[in-house]
Amino acid sequence: MSKGKVYGLRIAIGLLVFMFFKITSYKLSEWGTSTFVSMGSTVITVLIVFEIIGYTGKYLIKHYKCSLTSYRTLGMFYWGNCLITAPFVIGAAAFHTEVLIPAFPCTTCTAEISLATTAAQSLVLSWLIISAKSFMIYVEYTKRSEHEKDILQKELALSKYESLKDQIEPHFLFNSFSVLTAVIEEDPKLAVDFVSRLSKIYRYLMENTSQLVLLSTELEYLEHYVFVLKTRHGQSINVNYNLDAGAAQIPILSLQMLVENALKHNYFSKENPLTINIYTEGTDFLVVSNNLNKRPNLEKTTHLGLENINKRYELLLNKSIVIQENANSFTVKLPLVSQLKAES
């Protein structure tokens, strides 16, 4: 809805509020100068109340986007606005009753409305307006939440599909089986460990349906994946960890997709190893950084992996990932979210 239509609707509501006062004061047939002064005062008061609610609504959406349909958040919005607007509404009622009406007396009026009655009616009407706004937010974001859940399911399915596709394509399976064949005779214990970890990779992909997982869980899965890679590539790949997982959470498969991204876009060998550093910046970010040695003649990248991670962050947490690149390194920063915030 355009801004003009919004203000037109608010003015119409202001006129309806004025007519309510007009009817309840038994002055429906009296239309003098004081009547139009009262009309203007009422409409302006209603417009200011809407401006206050609009400002607090923007604050609510900005800081509580992930919990706009919870009764606790809506209750905070409702009672907060009631407290904020009450002094203004009472002041406007006092100004109308004690200043405007005496300044523009109505010679034909027979009934007088007290300040207490006007203030009480004004408060009730402002609370009704706030209730309507709270209900509108609930309805709008309930619908939006359902839509975003559908999108998230699709993004999660896409991320799992991409990970599975990379790991069940003939090239990956052929290399995995080739590695397994090579180590069975040389190191049977390593071969058993290799198969065990490979099965854990697929089990994690197939069985986990959560959108957010503990960072410790994701790291455990990543260690299995890195073990398989290092068994195949040896000293060509180095993955270093320097972090305290704590109770932080991230979208599932985010770390693996970033490691895959580094492998896909860089040349690496024993002489020129790919080094991936995974560490935390305080409690705000999980950082994944790798040295750059871009593959020559690589087809134009689609950035689907990074876009998938970023879209899931936006939908789940209302945050974005940070991507930094220079001549020597490529870095992605993933915002961390505490388990308590995620559950709220």
Side-chain angles (χ1 to χ4, degrees), residues 122-138:
S122 300
L123 284 172
V124 171
L125 288 169
S126 68
W127 294 341
L128 287 173
I129 292 172
I130 296 169
S131 298
K133 179 65 175 179
S134 302
F135 179 73
M136 289 169 63
I137 290 175
Y138 176 78

Side-chain angles (χ1 to χ4, degrees), residues 141-159:
Y141 281 89
T142 297
K143 291 180 180 178
R144 188 174 297 186
S145 177
E146 292 299 322
H147 177 64
E148 289 182 350
K149 283 180 182 177
D150 291 339
I151 295 176
L152 277 170
Q153 290 298 329
K154 290 178 182 177
E155 292 298 328
L156 178 59
L158 177 62
S159 63

Side-chain angles (χ1 to χ4, degrees), residues 217-280:
T217 303
E218 187 79 352
L219 284 170
E220 182 181 351
Y221 161 71
L222 184 68
E223 286 175 0
H224 297 318
Y225 179 68
V226 170
F227 177 87
V228 171
L229 293 176
K230 288 186 68 66
T231 303
R232 173 188 168 193
H233 297 288
Q235 297 179 7
S236 299
I237 299 174
N238 297 313
V239 180
N240 305 315
Y241 306 91
N242 183 17
L243 70 163
D244 178 17
Q249 292 183 307
I250 60 172
I252 187 171
L253 297 176
S254 299
L255 278 178
Q256 186 211 352
M257 293 181 81
L258 292 178
V259 171
E260 284 179 352
N261 189 67
L263 294 171
K264 187 180 296 184
H265 293 91
N266 291 280
Y267 169 80
F268 49 92
S269 63
K270 185 176 180 180
E271 294 73 23
N272 261 320
L274 175 67
T275 300
I276 302 173
N277 296 309
I278 302 174
Y279 57 94
T280 50

